[in-house]
Amino acid sequence: MQYRLIYILFLLSSVISYGQVNISIDPDKNDYSGKDVVNLTIVLEMNGSEYNQQTPIRLPDLSKFNIIGSGSVNNTYIDPATNTVITQRVSQIALEPKQKGKIKIGSVLVTVNNKIYKTEPFDINIRDVEKKSVANNSNDLYLNMEIEDRDVYQDQPTIAVLKAYSKNMDNFRKVKNIHLPKQNNINVYPVSFTKSDIDPSAPGSMSSQILAVFMIFPNEAGYVEVPSVSASVSSYSNKNKVLSNKVKLNVKKLPEGSPEYFKNAVGNFNVSVYSASKEKAEVKKPINVVVKVTGEGNLSNMQLPTLEVSPDYDFFAPKITSNVAPGTTGIKGEILANYIVIPKKAGEIAIKTEQFAFFNPASKEYVDLGQKILALNTFSHDQIMESRTTVEKVNEYTNSFLETVNTPVLKTTSFKVKEKSKFNWNVLLTNVGILLGLFIAYLVFKSWQKKRTLVKETVSEKSLGSVAEAENEIRERLKTDISDYFSYLENLKDNADYNKFFATIDELDSEVRNQYFQSSDEDFKAFLENYKGASVAEEYRNLFQRIQIEKFAPVKSPEGINELLHAIVNLYSKISK
């Protein structure tokens, strides 16, 4: 009889176990320091296909924590021993404590088949929570770094806002020298240091003001702690340093399944490649090839696609230029990699970039752009010479002749003839007319010179006059209209003749120095500081250094030369007599 009773109890327990609901919540530990992250794991298990979850899992009051991350996973399988469908939902929440002491975690609730299931509450202990730092003697001014989106992917930016809180509005104008956080596992880019209007509605009868907005790019996965932002609070009597709070980020790993050539590009990008050279590509002659990356994301610190190595060409390390600014979801703009490529064979060659892929956080998927190809048709030197027509050869000889006249006043380079693909009689007649005009002008100049000599012999000698008059006369004779130099430099820039461009700048500088009887650069700088002011002298020193940098740069960019020309025109127009 006793054995029968035990058998019946086992049978009833097995029947009951076929259909039941279990929910639990467990912390990773019960005792934490103020810097630890509290991880709560919630498990909901339903044994039996007849159970239906009617409400989502309702969390307890977590107002004493900052939720810095969360995630969940669902599993459904059949128990082969009992042939029962088991549904399991596992969720994990990462919390940052706001206060120390014993904190009660309430019950987790869920409704299944019109019945409410809940967990038992429990306590955890928090030790030494880090509070906001306060500058000594700063009359209660606090800095707070606020990051709304703390759950991001690796290399995905998040926006941080630095706010100041104080009961005394006069304290806000004393905050200066804001230093953004620096750390190896994050990259920080400022967005704005413009102070906002003071908001008097902050909690605790305080006012607040936004001091700075910046972007944070975490470059490793896991829990990343952003260091404090520092600032100085200055007054007439002393100067104090104040620190903001630290913030923890939950940085998620990028999803599995990335292409093998994916590096660290996170955002939305596009890649293109094109030739910046206008002339025909010639074997063993350098050409400029530009790889352009545009878009928005971690544009400033991602690895750019390079050119692929090929036996058809050689290339050198590129010159990188960027035009970027903070956007809404990252750094936005374009980055140009200017390569010098030397073709090694004649015929059709394909200049290829490396394969490139990026991760788009908006769609949470990888985008494969593959390779970008620039097809070029290169020629040998003999082929280029044979392809030129008679008119093109005449044009080349004419241009060479005009370029030998080394004076900016004539502006002969404006007469240079562009290559044409077909015979043009107007061009030929124009060139012949220019040559005849120069010859006639030479004869007229020689005739005028002879007449001037005869007139000098017949005119009586004038009085020598005073020393001041003689000096003014010499200055007038030395004086040259520098606008002619500016026009000539503009023509040299447009034709990319950079050697003559910098040689003409040296002539212009020598001409202006001669106007003031200053033979050396150092004497001229001292002269400008005494008679034109320290600001003009400093501007001259900076421009002189900038000219030297651009002059000896291995690759000249048209944008940089254009900016340099504008600076030259502005300064020399100011200091020339």
Side-chain angles (χ1 to χ4, degrees):
M1 185 66 182
Q2 184 178 2
Y3 291 108
R4 289 182 180 179
L5 182 60
I6 295 173
Y7 176 77
I8 292 172
L9 290 175
F10 273 114
L11 182 62
L12 290 175
S13 63
S14 63
V15 171
I16 294 172
S17 64
Y18 284 165
Q20 60 183 4
V21 176
N22 294 318
I23 184 169
S24 63
I25 178 170
D26 297 302
D28 53 345
K29 56 184 178 179
N30 293 323
D31 190 66
Y32 300 87
S33 67
K35 295 182 179 180
D36 291 339
V37 175
V38 179
N39 293 305
L40 300 180
T41 303
I42 303 170
V43 179
L44 172 63
E45 187 174 272
M46 295 180 292
N47 298 329
S49 59
E50 70 273 12
Y51 289 101
N52 178 33
Q53 181 181 347
Q54 295 172 302
T55 63
I57 296 175
R58 286 169 286 183
L59 299 177
D61 179 19
L62 299 176
S63 58
K64 297 178 181 179
F65 302 90
N66 289 321
I67 300 178
I68 61 175
S70 62
S72 62
V73 62
N74 297 333
N75 296 315
T76 301
Y77 60 93
I78 298 176
D79 187 355
T82 60
N83 198 27
T84 304
V85 177
I86 299 177
T87 302
Q88 189 180 66
R89 291 181 173 86
V90 181
S91 302
Q92 192 171 53
I93 303 173
L95 305 175
E96 180 185 51
K98 295 181 181 178
Q99 64 184 46
K100 66 179 180 179
K102 185 176 290 186
I103 301 177
K104 182 180 289 293
I105 306 293
S107 301
V108 176
L109 306 177
V110 66
T111 302
V112 177
N113 288 6
N114 299 321
K115 184 179 179 180
I116 298 176
Y117 296 87
K118 68 176 183 177
T119 61
E120 293 297 326
F122 59 91
D123 295 330
I124 60 173
N125 185 42
I126 308 296
R127 295 178 282 106
D128 301 326
V129 172
E130 185 177 352
K131 296 183 178 179
K132 299 174 186 176
S133 299
V134 185
N136 296 329
N137 301 323
S138 61
N139 198 12
D140 295 334
L141 184 137
Y142 303 87
L143 292 183
N144 188 39
M145 178 169 50
E146 301 176 3
I147 302 178
E148 183 176 353
D149 188 6
R150 303 190 185 189
D151 194 6
V152 294
Y153 284 104
Q154 183 177 344
D155 291 310
Q156 180 187 3
T158 184
I159 299 293
V161 178
L162 179 66
K163 283 187 178 182
Y165 292 86
S166 179
K167 292 183 178 180
N168 185 1
M169 291 188 181
D170 187 55
N171 286 335
F172 295 122
R173 66 179 180 83
K174 301 177 183 178
V175 181
K176 299 176 181 178
N177 302 325
I178 298 172
H179 295 284
L180 299 181
K182 292 183 180 179
Q183 200 164 269
N184 291 333
N185 56 359
I186 61 172
N187 297 307
V188 179
Y189 293 92
V191 175
S192 173
F193 284 104
T194 303
K195 293 183 178 180
S196 68
D197 295 334
I198 297 176
D199 183 9
S201 61
S205 301
M206 303 182 75
S207 301
S208 66
Q209 185 181 42
I210 296 177
L211 302 181
V213 180
F214 52 97
M215 282 186 180
I216 300 174
F217 292 81
N219 52 39
E220 67 177 31
Y223 292 109
V224 175
E225 184 177 71
V226 180
S228 302
V229 180
S230 65
S232 61
V233 181
S234 304
S235 62
Y236 293 108
S237 58
N238 53 23
K239 182 177 181 180
N240 300 294
K241 184 178 180 181
V242 61
L243 299 175
S244 75
N245 59 310
K246 300 177 182 179
V247 177
K248 290 187 177 71
L249 300 179
N250 177 33
V251 183
K252 299 178 289 187
K253 288 185 178 180
L254 296 176
E256 300 291 337
S258 63
E260 59 178 335
Y261 43 84
F262 170 78
K263 295 178 181 177
N264 68 333
V266 177
N268 191 9
F269 306 103
N270 190 25
V271 179
S272 60
V273 57
Y274 60 91
S275 174
S277 301
K278 298 179 181 179
E279 297 81 10
K280 293 179 180 179
E282 185 177 344
V283 177
K284 297 183 180 179
K285 289 292 182 69
I287 58 175
N288 290 330
V289 174
V290 178
V291 178
K292 181 179 179 180
V293 181
T294 59
E296 185 171 0
N298 62 333
L299 194 59
S300 296
N301 52 32
M302 74 181 216
Q303 297 185 37
L304 301 175
T306 63
L307 292 183
E308 191 177 66
V309 177
S310 171
D312 296 340
Y313 56 84
D314 290 326
F315 62 89
F316 298 94
K319 179 182 179 182
I320 306 297
T321 56
S322 61
N323 181 20
V324 297
T328 56
T329 59
I331 302 299
K332 183 178 182 180
E334 63 181 20
I335 294 183
L336 306 178
N338 196 323
Y339 289 86
I340 295 178
V341 178
I342 301 177
K344 298 170 67 175
K345 71 169 189 176
E348 293 185 356
I349 64 173
I351 299 177
K352 300 178 181 180
T353 66
E354 290 181 333
Q355 290 183 305
F356 179 74
F358 62 89
F359 177 72
N360 191 340
S363 59
K364 298 181 180 180
E365 61 182 10
Y366 292 94
V367 179
D368 187 358
L369 296 182
Q371 285 183 314
K372 299 298 177 180
I373 301 175
L374 173 64
L376 287 179
N377 193 15
T378 59
F379 302 90
S380 65
H381 181 72
D382 294 337
Q383 288 175 327
I384 290 181
M385 296 303 295
E386 290 175 359
S387 64
R388 290 183 177 177
T389 63
T390 304
V391 176
E392 289 175 333
K393 293 179 181 179
V394 172
N395 291 344
E396 183 181 1
Y397 297 146
T398 305
N399 292 336
S400 300
F401 173 78
L402 294 173
E403 288 176 351
T404 57
V405 183
N406 190 20
T407 171
V409 178
L410 293 179
K411 296 181 285 187
T412 55
T413 54
S414 62
F415 300 133
K416 288 180 67 176
V417 182
K418 297 180 180 179
E419 293 185 358
K420 299 291 182 179
S421 58
K422 60 182 181 179
F423 190 82
N424 193 328
W425 284 101
N426 292 331
V427 174
L428 180 61
L429 293 176
T430 301
N431 291 331
V432 174
I434 291 173
L435 293 174
L436 290 176
L438 290 174
F439 181 72
I440 293 172
Y442 173 76
L443 295 178
V444 172
F445 174 74
K446 296 297 289 183
S447 176
W448 173 79
Q449 211 172 26
K450 289 180 180 179
K451 290 181 181 179
R452 186 180 178 188
T453 304
L454 293 174
V455 171
K456 281 186 177 180
E457 293 176 354
T458 57
V459 175
S460 60
E461 294 183 357
K462 294 183 180 180
S463 174
L464 293 176
S466 64
V467 175
E469 291 175 351
E471 184 179 342
N472 291 333
E473 184 178 352
I474 292 173
R475 286 181 178 176
E476 287 297 325
R477 252 186 284 167
L478 291 174
K479 188 174 181 180
T480 302
D481 188 1
I482 63 170
S483 62
D484 292 329
Y485 280 97
F486 298 156
S487 301
Y488 187 50
L489 288 171
E490 184 73 28
N491 291 332
L492 292 176
K493 181 205 70 168
D494 294 339
N495 294 320
D497 193 350
Y498 297 130
N499 291 332
K500 288 192 176 182
F501 179 84
F502 288 101
T504 306
I505 291 176
D506 294 338
E507 292 180 13
L508 170 61
D509 183 69
S510 177
E511 179 66 35
V512 174
R513 283 191 281 106
N514 288 336
Q515 292 179 4
Y516 294 98
F517 301 97
Q518 304 295 324
S519 58
S520 67
D521 297 335
E522 296 300 326
D523 293 340
F524 189 48
K525 293 173 185 176
F527 174 81
L528 288 177
E529 189 166 357
N530 292 330
Y531 293 95
K532 295 291 185 178
S535 61
V536 175
E538 183 63 24
E539 187 177 353
Y540 179 79
R541 290 190 189 95
N542 295 335
L543 179 61
F544 188 81
Q545 293 177 356
R546 187 175 172 185
I547 291 172
Q548 298 306 310
I549 292 172
E550 288 290 344
K551 182 177 181 179
F552 296 103
V555 179
K556 274 78 172 176
S557 67
E559 296 81 4
I561 296 297
N562 189 45
E563 293 177 1
L564 179 62
L565 179 57
H566 284 304
I568 291 171
V569 172
N570 292 334
L571 178 61
Y572 283 95
S573 299
K574 193 184 302 181
I575 64 177
S576 176
K577 293 186 176 181

